[in-house]
Amino acid sequence: MTKKNIFVLGLDEANLATLQDVPNADTYRFHGLLTPEELQGSEVSVPELLEHARGVLDSFDGSVDAIVGYWDFPVSTMVPILAERYGTRSTGLGSVVKCEHKYWSRLEQRKVVDEHPRFGRVDLDAEDPRPPEGVRFPMWLKPALSYSSELAFGVKDMAEFREAVAEIRQGITRVGRPFEYVLGQLELPPEMAGVGGVVCLAEESLTGIQVAVEGYVHQGEVTVYGVLDSINYPDSSSFLRHQYPSSLPEPVQHRLSDVSTRVIEQIGMDSATFSIEFFYDPGTDEINLLEINPRHSQSHAELFEYVDGVPNHHCMLSLALGEDPALPYRQGPYRTAAKWYHRWFTDGVAREVPTAEEIAQVERDIPGVVVEVVPERGQRLADLGQQDSYSYEIAHVFTGGEDDDDMREKYDRAIAALRLGFGDEPGSAPGSGSESGTGTVPGPRGETTGRQPEKQGQE
């Protein structure tokens, strides 16, 4: 039997294990195409990354049957560029960029839906930048493109606005400049003329229950296959967990699906997966769209496997191969599942980190648990990449259970067993890594923050 060669941009060990759990995995051969470190390093050169990837593919002695990826920029934009060159299936580059560029995405959304916040651009070149006309405090400031919501700040007044602008000015070009290369590959509409990639967006803050809608487009038809709840730490914008399936009423989920379908059709995606973040306010019954991710949501793969029986990697792979992307429904071993984010809300040094063998023992001792520890022993948290503006991810704990109580009990047991410890400096006494439940969450540099909760984090 001839196996199909699937090249995965940024293939990592955790996702390789999940990819091998999809149906018909024995007919696939997975190949890493560039490392996560190469793709998400401090300096990004899209032309150099593309040249490196083409060198690997051109020298491969076999067929290139699919090229896929599950990370944000530059991976999300490299997939369609490489797919066009090698004749593999993917949505077009323009549809990806319309989602990745937060300002362009808002322009497209408002053509077909009203369920979005007021927004506008902030002139970073102005001597005294001001909020866009009609956009009120509290609001979020964010680059048009960033990693893991880096440089995204919730602000409630002009003092915080100016502080956020100063920080964004210093770091926005790191990703914004490379993104301009990608924009240069497209014929832009008049409303995007001269906008570029180094853009700061202001949006009014959203409140309510945060949810994620996942789906795909196959042969022009949009399918929503799952709705997940996103639950934050108390008084924080940082995720505590993603939970599947959502607890929202069915009529609300149908409305979320309808808005998602209209927006994705407007964007013009096809042969691709997507994930859309929303807020639902039970008090007003309002839905508001936060952002569109034009990629496969790899961090939820275990949740779908726990509940539906197959990881959602199946959709990404099937679309890339021109096969049926449909997932089974509720055929997994658990009724509910969650991905927990164990966080530290101030800087420190990882003094106690479990070994791979110790992690494997935790997973054996607690059925329905998978653990990923982020820092290495001795690593300073401020040096971790892909973090939001207010916290550091210490561990990801996936749990499957019969109900919320069952999952929380498994999470608590796993965190206690991992015995993570942190200190201020190398050689200092380790501190506790327990979950904050006080309702007062330390912000960056150990300060407290009362800023308006909103999603900030990568999946």
Side-chain angles (χ1 to χ4, degrees):
M1 178 181 61
T2 301
K3 293 189 176 185
K4 296 178 180 178
N5 295 301
I6 301 174
F7 287 82
V8 185
L9 280 159
L11 180 63
D12 58 325
E13 186 175 345
N15 278 291
L16 176 58
T18 311
L19 286 165
Q20 292 170 336
D21 282 343
V22 303
N24 304 316
D26 59 338
T27 66
Y28 305 151
R29 181 177 288 112
F30 297 105
H31 306 269
L33 183 58
L34 309 186
T35 67
E37 292 74 23
E38 289 174 313
L39 291 161
Q40 300 174 344
S42 57
E43 298 295 331
V44 175
S45 170
V46 177
E48 290 181 6
L49 291 172
L50 287 169
E51 182 179 4
H52 188 178
R54 287 192 292 263
V56 173
L57 294 168
D58 289 343
S59 63
F60 180 67
D61 185 18
S63 62
V64 177
D65 299 299
I67 301 171
V68 299
Y70 39 71
W71 301 111
D72 285 326
F73 180 83
V75 171
S76 56
T77 53
M78 290 176 65
V79 169
I81 293 173
L82 292 170
E84 183 176 12
R85 178 183 176 97
Y86 292 94
T88 58
R89 291 178 179 82
S90 168
T91 191
L93 177 62
S95 64
V96 172
V97 177
K98 286 178 186 178
C99 300
E100 289 277 26
H101 195 293
K102 292 181 174 62
Y103 179 67
W104 194 358
S105 183
R106 288 299 190 200
L107 296 180
E108 291 297 312
Q109 293 165 33
R110 72 181 183 185
K111 293 177 182 178
V112 291
V113 300
D114 298 321
E115 292 87 349
H116 59 77
R118 282 183 281 267
F119 68 95
R121 292 163 55 192
V122 176
D123 185 0
L124 296 179
D125 294 327
E127 183 175 341
D128 182 24
R130 311 291 295 182
E133 184 177 354
V135 180
R136 303 168 299 188
F137 292 110
M139 67 180 68
W140 278 86
L141 301 186
K142 59 188 76 173
L145 182 75
S146 65
Y147 292 136
S148 302
S149 295
E150 290 177 358
L151 299 178
F153 299 97
V155 299
K156 64 179 183 295
D157 54 33
M158 279 303 300
E160 290 187 350
F161 179 91
R162 293 189 179 98
E163 290 176 7
V165 165
E167 291 202 46
I168 292 171
R169 275 173 165 168
Q170 291 180 1
I172 193 171
T173 59
R174 185 175 83 85
V175 179
R177 292 296 183 205
F179 194 37
E180 290 189 335
Y181 168 83
V182 177
L183 287 171
Q185 311 304 303
L186 301 171
E187 184 175 344
L188 300 176
E191 61 264 33
M192 284 294 293
V195 173
V198 185
V199 179
C200 178
L201 183 67
E203 300 178 341
E204 288 189 4
S205 293
L206 302 175
T207 59
I209 299 169
Q210 192 168 346
V211 295
V213 173
E214 289 201 17
Y216 58 79
V217 192
H218 180 49
Q219 298 178 349
E221 182 177 349
V222 179
T223 296
V224 169
Y225 62 75
V227 181
L228 303 90
D229 293 333
S230 299
I231 300 162
N232 289 349
Y233 278 81
D235 298 331
S236 170
S237 62
S238 298
F239 288 137
L240 171 60
R241 70 182 184 271
H242 299 297
Q243 186 163 326
Y244 176 68
S246 172
S247 61
L248 288 178
E250 285 297 325
V252 176
Q253 295 192 41
H254 287 315
R255 289 167 56 199
L256 291 166
S257 178
D258 174 66
V259 172
S260 300
T261 299
R262 282 185 281 151
V263 168
I264 292 300
E265 289 177 343
Q266 171 64 28
I267 295 291
M269 296 185 73
D270 200 3
S271 299
T273 57
F274 62 86
S275 175
I276 306 180
E277 302 287 338
F278 286 91
F279 275 89
Y280 170 66
D281 189 331
T284 62
D285 199 36
E286 288 186 349
I287 286 172
N288 272 290
L289 193 157
L290 178 58
E291 67 179 31
I292 307 170
N293 298 305
R295 57 171 172 78
H296 170 60
S297 186
Q298 52 89 19
S299 69
H300 298 159
E302 286 85 354
L303 309 190
F304 285 93
E305 186 169 17
Y306 278 153
V307 175
D308 291 331
V310 171
N312 62 358
H313 286 334
H314 169 71
C315 302
M316 174 185 70
L317 297 175
S318 297
L319 289 165
L321 293 167
E323 299 171 353
D324 183 4
L327 287 170
Y329 184 76
R330 305 298 188 262
Q331 296 182 25
Y334 299 102
R335 295 182 62 185
T336 186
K339 177 183 180 180
W340 302 77
Y341 295 81
H342 184 58
R343 298 179 183 271
W344 196 254
F345 287 87
T346 189
D347 194 13
V349 175
R351 302 300 301 149
E352 300 293 335
V353 176
T355 65
E357 292 76 13
E358 290 170 333
I359 293 173
Q361 186 61 52
V362 171
E363 294 174 345
R364 286 192 295 269
D365 290 343
I366 312 174
V369 164
V370 175
V371 175
E372 298 173 358
V373 174
V374 178
E376 298 177 358
R377 187 180 181 89
Q379 186 173 18
R380 178 164 288 282
L381 300 184
D383 295 334
L384 294 174
Q386 306 288 313
Q387 304 296 312
D388 68 25
S389 300
Y390 299 106
S391 69
Y392 303 101
E393 295 177 13
I394 303 305
H396 306 145
V397 180
F398 300 87
T399 61
E402 288 303 304
D403 52 32
D404 290 2
D405 290 340
D406 186 24
M407 290 199 301
R408 178 171 289 279
E409 189 268 341
K410 290 182 178 182
Y411 169 73
D412 290 340
R413 284 177 60 195
I415 291 300
L418 292 173
R419 300 180 62 83
L420 292 156
F422 303 88
D424 293 332
E425 298 292 342
S428 61
S432 168
S434 62
E435 172 189 339
S436 170
T438 63
T440 301
V441 180
R445 312 300 180 265
E447 300 170 356
T448 59
T449 175
R451 293 176 178 174
Q452 181 64 50
E454 183 177 358
K455 176 263 188 182
Q456 298 299 332
Q458 178 175 329
E459 303 174 43

